[in-house]
Amino acid sequence: MLARNELELRKFFAPEFIFGCGALELTGRYARNFGLRKVLLVTDAGVTGAGWAGRVCGSLDEAGISYEMFDCVFENPRSCEVTAGAEVYHAAECQGIVAVGGGSPMDCAKGIGIVSSNRRNILAFEGIDLVRMPGPPIICIPTTAGSSADVSQFAIITNEAEQRKVAIISKTLVPDIALIDPLPLTTMNTTLTVDTGMDAFSHAIEAYVSNASSPVTDLHALQAIGLEVSALPDALCAPGDLQTRYRTMLSSLHAGLAFSNASIGAVHAMSHSISGLFDLTHGRANALLLEHVVGYNYIAAPDRFDEVARTMGLRPAGLSGHERQQALIRAIGDFRRSLGIGETLSEVGVEPGDLPELARRAFVDPCMATNPRRLKPEEIEEIYAAAL
Ligand SMILES: [Fe+2]
């Protein structure tokens, strides 16, 4: 007999995407296919320094597409960066957007797109399906294997006045095309590799246990988990190896297709809350929370978590429920420590006195709606305390 959720009607979003070596060289051709003559190129200093923005510019030049560069994007992009980018977009009379970078430039670019077409501040779109007018054509070229903003209907922007991250979820945020090339991953340093990898790993686990999961998203989520646990350690040993980077990019793609359609959960809700107040990357915050949230959530979906454990290579058969829960918590903790992430939340500056406010913010984050266990603010506080 089919489980109830397998009979429900579901809707799925994914952009057209090109996956493989050389994809980024197709930027000019796709911009031309969209009928664009001038685009806003959104990127950041790191990506420019590594030469990837230049490669994309070369492709645009070859196709006869002119561009205006906007590279004033920083980690955890703020609403003022989106506003500034939209002003440049209009002043330069652009017709479309090309984003080159990790989650920050891509989220900022998506924000610039909907601000340009709706003429409202980006913060007005916080929540689910509140964008009325779609933005101009947008081409995303990811240079990390983690955020999957290139295939997702999510954009995360920081409300700097309130020091909190705002989740905007809308099908208008799905890019028109993603050019997914593993080559830019070869210049990522160790920290960026593990932080973005743990972000993808968190997407996959949260999507698999989400109360909006479905058979389609399950396939992608489990593929992502299996690939990540094997490929991420390899990528640390051989950062320049294209085959290995290809596998981490594939994992990130699977995780993105899963979470964009099944959504995520408490790890992300709690991590958004932390990154709004503390100077911590998104992936690192997820990594420090993941095993603690999984431990707390386990009783709400034990069969699902057991499948996560099996996909990670554990053998939960024959163990009691408590033993299976503890084995999974241990395995996730061991995985992150094996990647060099050994710190706790207190070591990055979080203090016990911060927890009530962090929990209050996480409680109202839209990602909490699909967490498999309904959590009260005091329970969220308990999970933060366990990660201190
Ligand atoms: Fe994430």
Side-chain angles (χ1 to χ4, degrees):
M1 196 170 76
L2 290 173
R4 187 176 63 87
N5 73 347
E6 293 186 355
L7 297 173
E8 283 175 5
L9 282 177
R10 294 297 177 108
K11 182 168 65 171
F12 301 95
F13 290 107
E16 179 180 356
F17 58 87
I18 309 287
F19 189 95
C21 295
L24 70 81
E25 310 288 353
L26 301 174
T27 313
R29 185 194 298 181
Y30 275 94
R32 201 171 47 206
N33 289 352
F34 287 130
L36 307 175
R37 291 184 307 280
K38 185 167 190 183
V39 297
L40 184 72
L41 184 67
V42 182
T43 187
D44 64 26
V47 175
T48 306
W52 303 116
R55 290 279 286 266
V56 169
C57 292
S59 171
L60 291 168
D61 286 336
E62 245 175 61
I65 312 286
S66 58
Y67 50 87
E68 186 75 25
M69 185 81 99
F70 180 73
D71 63 359
C72 304
V73 184
F74 301 91
E75 185 79 39
N76 301 320
R78 297 165 297 164
S79 69
C80 63
E81 290 159 38
V82 176
T83 305
E87 280 166 11
V88 174
Y89 180 92
H90 283 295
E93 299 182 346
C94 298
Q95 302 149 337
I97 300 174
V98 173
V100 193
S104 299
M106 289 194 284
D107 282 351
C108 188
K110 290 175 169 190
I112 291 169
I114 56 173
V115 164
S116 301
S117 56
N118 291 271
R119 304 288 182 132
R120 298 180 68 195
N121 187 281
I122 187 65
L123 300 175
F125 304 110
E126 177 178 11
I128 301 167
D129 286 337
L130 296 177
V131 183
R132 218 159 50 86
M133 295 282 290
I138 178 163
I139 300 171
C140 278
I141 301 143
T143 59
T144 64
S147 78
S148 304
D150 47 294
V151 294
S152 81
Q153 50 177 331
F154 284 61
I156 308 294
I157 303 295
T158 298
N159 178 334
E160 57 272 41
E162 297 178 10
Q163 289 185 292
R164 68 184 181 90
K165 284 190 154 192
V166 166
I168 303 165
I169 305 163
S170 163
K171 65 181 178 184
T172 63
L173 294 177
V174 178
D176 293 273
I177 187 155
L179 302 173
I180 309 170
D181 193 327
L183 193 60
L185 305 184
T186 57
T187 56
M188 285 200 297
N189 63 30
T190 301
T191 305
L192 190 57
T193 299
V194 297
D195 286 0
T196 51
M198 284 304 288
D199 187 22
F201 189 55
S202 306
H203 292 155
I205 293 180
E206 293 221 279
Y208 188 68
V209 302
S210 158
N211 56 27
S213 66
S214 67
V216 172
T217 55
D218 288 350
L219 290 173
H220 289 294
L222 292 176
Q223 277 293 323
I225 293 166
L227 272 166
E228 204 67 67
V229 293
S230 75
L232 193 50
D234 290 350
L236 292 191
C237 297
D241 183 69
L242 207 47
Q243 297 279 354
T244 303
R245 294 295 195 176
Y246 181 99
R247 285 159 58 221
T248 58
M249 193 57 115
L250 187 58
S251 172
S252 172
L253 171 64
H254 278 301
L257 293 171
F259 95 79
S260 182
N261 291 291
S263 197
I264 31 191
V267 174
H268 273 76
M270 293 172 65
S271 142
H272 291 157
S273 180
I274 289 180
S275 307
L277 288 171
F278 295 87
D279 188 22
L280 193 63
T281 69
H282 170 65
R284 183 64 55 129
N286 287 344
L288 301 187
L289 291 165
L290 182 59
E291 76 225 46
H292 304 287
V293 174
V294 164
Y296 213 88
N297 277 342
Y298 183 89
I299 55 163
D303 294 346
R304 294 243 134 199
F305 281 111
D306 289 347
E307 191 59 38
V308 170
R310 273 189 290 274
T311 308
M312 289 182 69
L314 304 187
R315 294 284 167 269
L319 301 179
S320 70
H322 177 72
E323 288 167 336
R324 295 199 300 274
Q325 176 199 37
Q326 293 305 310
L328 180 56
I329 294 170
R330 221 172 18 250
I332 294 172
D334 288 346
F335 181 54
R336 77 169 164 91
R337 281 185 289 274
S338 76
L339 300 170
I341 305 178
E343 67 269 40
T344 61
L345 283 185
S346 52
E347 284 165 348
V348 296
V350 182
E351 294 181 357
D354 299 318
L355 303 191
E357 179 59 15
L358 285 171
R360 192 188 64 75
R361 291 168 179 234
F363 181 70
V364 296
D365 188 287
C367 297
M368 203 55 100
T370 40
N371 193 60
R373 184 171 173 185
R374 195 163 292 281
L375 299 175
K376 299 187 188 104
E378 53 271 28
E379 292 173 312
I380 300 171
E381 242 184 271
E382 246 178 71
I383 302 172
Y384 276 128
L388 271 181

